[in-house]
Amino acid sequence: MNFLAELRGRLRTALTELIPSDVMTDVGPYAEMLKPTQDPKFGDFQANCAMSLGKLLKKPPRDVATDIVARLKLDDLCDAPEIAGPGFINLKLRTDRLATEAVALIHDDRLGVVAVPTPRTFVVDYSSPNVAKPMHVGHLRSTVIGQALDRVLRFLGHRVYSDNHVGDWGTQFGMIIYGYKHFRNEAAYQTAPVAELARLYRLVNQLSDYHEAVKTATALDAAVRLAETALSEAQRQLAANPKDKDAPKAVKKQEAVVAEAKAAVNSARKKREAIDNDPALQTLAAAHPQIAELARQETAKLHAGDVDNVALWKAFIPQCLAALESMYQRFGVKFDLTLGESFYNPMLTGIVDDLKSRGLARESDGATCVFVEGNAAPFIVQKADGAFTYATTDLATIRYRIETLHADTALYVVDARQGEHFQLLFATAKAMGLGQLESRHVSFGTILGDDRRPFKTRAGDTVGLESLLDEAIARARAIVDENDDGKKDGPELDTATRADVAEIVGIGGVIYADLHHNRDSDYIFSWDKMLAKTGDTATYIQYAYARVRGIFARNNIDADALRQAGGTILLNTPAERQMALQLLRFSEALSDVVVDYRPNLLTQYLYDTANSFATFYEQCPILKEPDATVRNSRLLLCDLTARVLKTGLNLLGIRVAEKM
RNA sequence: GCAUCCGUAGCUCAAUGGAUAGAGCAUCGGUCUUCGGAACCGAGGGUUGGGGGUUCGAGUCCCUCCGGAUGCACCA
């Protein structure tokens, strides 16, 4: 049972009785004001509606509270409600009811989580890397948050399509095709095709950047001089008018412009030097002066259906997808659909025609654009050269999700930086009659390094996801080894088990560290914090699980037999009561996650559960307990704790180990 | 210039318009000759960037200023 939902239902009934329907037709929002307390001294739940209702009904809030309490039928669930302060109604669940509900969990595979009565069809669109490039740390949050939401929605009984909207059709393919045609190392391609394709992509990119850097060198220098002139002018203004409030601001701003211009010059210089210092690259650069333009033409040819390029593309794609798949296996992620950009290609002309015929799109500077009210930037659906953009693809995707998948809600688990794009996308979709799909940008912040700049390797390169996980596992392994070697009765894990535990702890740590932050915030990446044995980490929770399982294993207690044998649960101490209550709130935690798509509410719940367990475990003897009924009750609580922790962690994509 | 997000303990972060703003780390101090130690309990630490406003009640909503991040026409 979800106590919160049940209590709100009861409150709703009472409010409907109390308030005449001509005063208020929907008491729902007031019933929602029943919430868990933040402090146990106020009980388990509190209803906060009497204060605002007092205003509305022109009665003292405490009188309203009294009226509500008189109509609330809660005898079977709660002790007598208490009215406190200005009109808070404090509720405390009956301990005997907690005990019977806890017993009900023992035989419930779903641990008290009732499937939603009206399932919706969700598309969860996440991860979405470019298939031509290896995944990097920039794909971590989308993958991790997306899969957690995916699993939680499913567990709650919704229909879910997880969809990996991969980039398999964009300009990067022109670059790869160009690279393949001119620079391919056939032997390397045969043995490790994806690595070779990635090399070709980087090479073509590097050569294009080189020519661009050479071409723009004078312009970049000029921009610096211009910015410096503007800066000295701003400084002169400041000196002349020290009282001008805006003058210091202008100086600061110009300083930023100068810094930015210099950074651009530096970055261009680095790109030139990389080639200039390498004779082999120099030769290549000289031989391919038009490389950027020619690569673009390869993309255009691919899109136009050129036989050779399409054949190459068809050869590349399965290889690229297989490489991604091995990454997803490490995370335990499975997609129902992998409908990339190329899938929607045949629908794009229709989208643009539709927009034109509805009078929504028009020409501007040669491009076909939708101008959305209140937004200065256009939503470009077709470029001047005739190519479509990701805006067009995204519109086609929405139409497909409505017409073919019959989706009710689409979640886009994508970087916050694309907020404007989604605003324009959703507004345009609505304008063209695709508003029935509830679309939601589930945005998230950036992962930062110690320096508060986006997380990079020491050399300044982006961090590959593969190596990130490898390092997490290696660090976890060192901890596992140290711990196991230090055990009082000698090591207990063999090499294979240690490797297994290291992987579970390492990857779990990475996932948990990401999910336990509010997704809106940027966060600073820290190996030490993520794998710490104490504190709010996956390891701590995984260890709580292993402790429970250890009791059963070491004493040859069979959990299944224990459940089958039944028995009662006794909640005679505060720690036991708190433990049972916490376990019974699992359902509430999962519902909370889905309200605003925030997995951190589940990490918080699991950490609290592990903490409640630590207290219970400390205060309540289990095997030493002489009374067989109490002992059995405590074992049942232990078993339930293990199941909730395991199920909860699994919903976040984190595995558990029986021994650590 | 316009837009979005952020500013909370020394540090890293939570907080669904509710009562005395919470965790973890770090610091300091306790408990335990363990059924089970990668243990547990406690303390100190805050004008929630500043100032206005709405509200019975604001870290949360609105306005404004300060400070930071990000994005803004043919890459996705």
Side-chain angles (χ1 to χ4, degrees):
Chain A
M1 171 186 290
N2 183 327
F3 284 116
L4 181 63
E6 179 65 25
L7 290 171
R8 281 177 176 170
R10 305 265 182 117
L11 177 59
R12 177 192 290 263
T13 307
L15 290 175
T16 308
E17 267 178 49
L18 181 68
I19 304 168
S21 57
D22 56 320
V23 178
M24 189 185 297
T25 48
D26 181 18
V27 299
Y30 291 89
E32 296 292 303
M33 291 168 83
L34 189 148
K35 297 177 176 177
T37 54
Q38 286 185 357
D39 190 327
K41 78 178 176 199
F42 300 128
D44 300 321
F45 295 93
Q46 60 183 48
N48 301 331
C49 53
M51 284 79 84
S52 14
L53 284 172
K55 197 87 177 170
L56 200 83
L57 302 174
K58 300 189 174 62
K59 284 171 77 173
R62 284 190 70 107
D63 291 358
V64 177
T66 310
D67 292 345
I68 293 171
V69 166
R71 282 170 179 76
L72 259 180
K73 293 190 182 66
L74 297 172
D75 291 354
D76 56 323
L77 278 176
C78 297
D79 295 337
E82 286 175 14
I83 297 169
F88 294 106
I89 302 169
N90 293 337
L91 304 173
K92 186 164 183 186
L93 295 165
R94 282 171 51 165
T95 302
D96 60 338
R97 185 61 191 262
L98 282 176
T100 54
E101 290 294 328
V103 168
L105 291 189
I106 295 168
H107 302 290
D108 181 1
D109 287 341
R110 297 181 51 83
L111 291 162
V113 182
V114 180
V116 289
T118 49
R120 294 171 64 80
T121 301
F122 282 84
V123 174
V124 186
D125 180 328
Y126 65 95
S127 199
S128 309
N130 267 327
V131 301
K133 298 184 258 181
M135 289 178 78
H136 56 83
V137 68
H139 301 110
L140 180 65
R141 295 204 81 180
S142 176
T143 305
V144 159
I145 295 170
Q147 56 102 26
L149 295 175
D150 176 3
R151 291 177 213 259
V152 172
L153 286 167
R154 263 177 231 268
F155 192 78
L156 287 172
H158 294 289
R159 291 179 293 265
V160 180
Y161 292 105
S162 53
D163 187 7
N164 196 7
H165 191 83
V166 294
D168 61 358
W169 196 241
T171 36
Q172 77 276 16
F173 270 94
M175 297 167 94
I176 291 180
I177 290 170
Y178 187 92
Y180 183 86
K181 287 179 178 172
H182 297 91
F183 310 128
R184 157 174 105 256
N185 174 336
E186 184 61 28
Y189 180 69
Q190 288 305 328
T191 39
V194 178
E196 175 62 4
L197 293 179
R199 183 190 71 87
L200 292 171
Y201 171 80
R202 280 196 306 273
L203 178 61
V204 174
N205 209 18
Q206 196 183 12
L207 295 174
S208 310
D209 283 354
Y210 170 78
H211 289 298
E212 177 71 14
V214 170
K215 208 165 69 188
T216 55
T218 32
L220 290 174
D221 287 336
V224 170
R225 283 195 302 276
L226 202 69
E228 280 171 345
T229 312
L231 174 58
S232 23
E233 173 59 17
Q235 283 163 338
R236 206 184 52 76
Q237 287 287 342
L238 176 59
N241 309 297
K243 285 184 201 148
D244 184 349
K245 269 196 345 214
D246 293 333
K249 237 194 218 174
V251 169
K252 213 167 167 191
K253 183 150 184 202
Q254 272 312 317
E255 281 170 352
V257 173
V258 169
E260 203 173 314
K262 283 186 173 165
V265 168
N266 266 332
S267 144
R269 200 191 54 229
K270 271 190 196 156
K271 283 170 181 167
R272 288 200 314 271
E273 284 173 358
I275 304 286
D276 290 340
N277 296 337
D278 184 326
L281 287 175
Q282 239 176 349
T283 314
L284 288 181
H288 298 269
Q290 299 299 319
I291 188 164
E293 177 53 29
L294 293 172
R296 270 194 290 275
Q297 285 175 15
E298 297 292 1
T299 309
K301 277 162 70 182
L302 171 66
H303 290 181
D306 174 85
V307 178
D308 290 341
N309 281 11
V310 169
L312 285 176
W313 180 82
K314 281 189 174 158
F316 296 158
I317 286 296
Q319 319 258 27
C320 296
L321 291 178
L324 291 180
E325 193 47 43
S326 75
M327 191 69 237
Y328 292 132
Q329 269 177 19
R330 301 184 75 180
F331 278 115
V333 172
K334 283 199 191 72
F335 288 97
D336 299 308
L337 303 169
T338 300
L339 300 178
E341 294 163 344
S342 62
F343 177 79
Y344 299 97
N345 185 52
M347 312 171 200
L348 302 183
T349 312
I351 292 287
V352 174
D353 289 348
D354 189 356
L355 285 167
K356 282 182 183 161
S357 71
R358 288 169 188 268
L360 292 167
R362 62 176 168 84
E363 295 269 313
S364 172
D365 284 350
T368 307
C369 305
V370 178
F371 288 89
V372 173
E373 175 93 26
N375 288 78
F379 196 53
I380 298 175
V381 292
Q382 191 164 20
K383 300 192 285 184
D385 65 5
F388 299 105
T389 70
Y390 78 136
T392 334
T393 311
D394 281 355
L395 287 170
T397 305
I398 290 178
R399 178 176 279 171
Y400 179 82
R401 287 172 178 170
I402 293 171
E403 292 177 355
T404 306
L405 301 180
H406 306 291
D408 301 305
T409 303
L411 304 181
Y412 294 83
V413 186
V414 180
D415 199 312
R417 284 176 295 200
Q418 296 201 35
E420 273 119 329
H421 167 70
F422 285 111
Q423 223 179 313
L424 292 169
L425 173 67
F426 299 156
T428 305
K430 198 172 172 191
M432 66 189 292
L434 299 174
Q436 66 268 49
L437 178 70
E438 183 196 349
S439 296
R440 185 60 207 276
H441 178 200
V442 179
S443 73
F444 53 83
T446 311
I447 303 178
L448 308 174
D450 288 335
D451 55 359
R452 292 192 165 273
R453 303 297 313 157
F455 188 50
K456 295 270 169 64
T457 62
R458 216 166 261 164
D461 302 319
T462 53
V463 180
L465 211 43
E466 199 84 47
S467 60
L468 183 100
L469 293 189
D470 289 343
E471 179 157 2
I473 293 167
R475 285 172 183 258
R477 179 60 188 266
I479 295 169
V480 170
D481 285 344
E482 188 192 348
N483 180 63
D484 199 44
D485 289 340
K487 276 181 186 158
K488 191 180 56 176
D489 302 326
E492 125 186 87
L493 308 177
D494 59 39
T495 312
T497 309
R498 286 186 182 195
D500 217 34
V501 172
E503 186 165 327
I504 291 169
V505 169
I507 296 180
V510 171
I511 295 175
Y512 191 91
D514 197 296
L515 293 179
H516 102 276
H517 292 96
N518 181 324
R519 58 176 170 75
D520 286 320
S521 355
D522 298 345
Y523 74 89
I524 296 179
F525 189 92
S526 158
W527 288 113
D528 292 341
K529 286 194 174 119
M530 132 179 354
L531 296 170
K533 298 178 276 194
T534 57
D536 190 359
T537 62
T539 317
Y540 177 80
I541 301 170
Q542 286 167 324
Y543 181 63
Y545 174 82
R547 284 167 92 185
V548 182
R549 301 298 300 154
I551 299 174
F552 286 78
R554 269 187 265 271
N555 299 285
N556 295 312
I557 299 166
D558 180 61
D560 270 328
L562 177 78
R563 287 170 215 152
Q564 293 307 319
T568 54
I569 287 183
L570 304 168
L571 305 176
N572 295 330
T573 65
E576 286 167 295
R577 183 186 190 278
Q578 165 56 29
M579 190 69 247
L581 174 61
Q582 182 65 25
L583 293 170
L584 286 163
R585 283 190 158 166
F586 186 43
S587 158
E588 217 175 290
L590 295 185
S591 308
D592 287 347
V593 166
V594 160
V595 171
D596 199 28
Y597 309 112
R598 297 196 179 274
N600 64 314
L601 298 177
L602 181 52
T603 63
Q604 182 69 53
Y605 168 80
L606 292 172
Y607 180 64
D608 289 344
T609 305
N611 247 334
S612 294
F613 177 71
T615 306
F616 159 69
Y617 192 66
E618 188 71 17
Q619 293 182 8
C620 302
I622 298 167
L623 298 175
K624 265 191 182 170
E625 168 59 42
D627 183 325
T629 317
V630 174
R631 188 168 63 237
N632 193 65
S633 162
R634 288 180 179 165
L635 277 169
L636 286 169
L637 281 176
C638 283
D639 179 51
L640 281 174
T641 303
R643 288 173 59 205
V644 167
L645 291 179
K646 178 177 181 174
T647 308
L649 285 173
N650 285 170
L651 288 175
L652 298 175
I654 299 169
R655 292 185 291 151
V656 291
E658 298 296 305
K659 283 192 230 172
M660 288 174 69

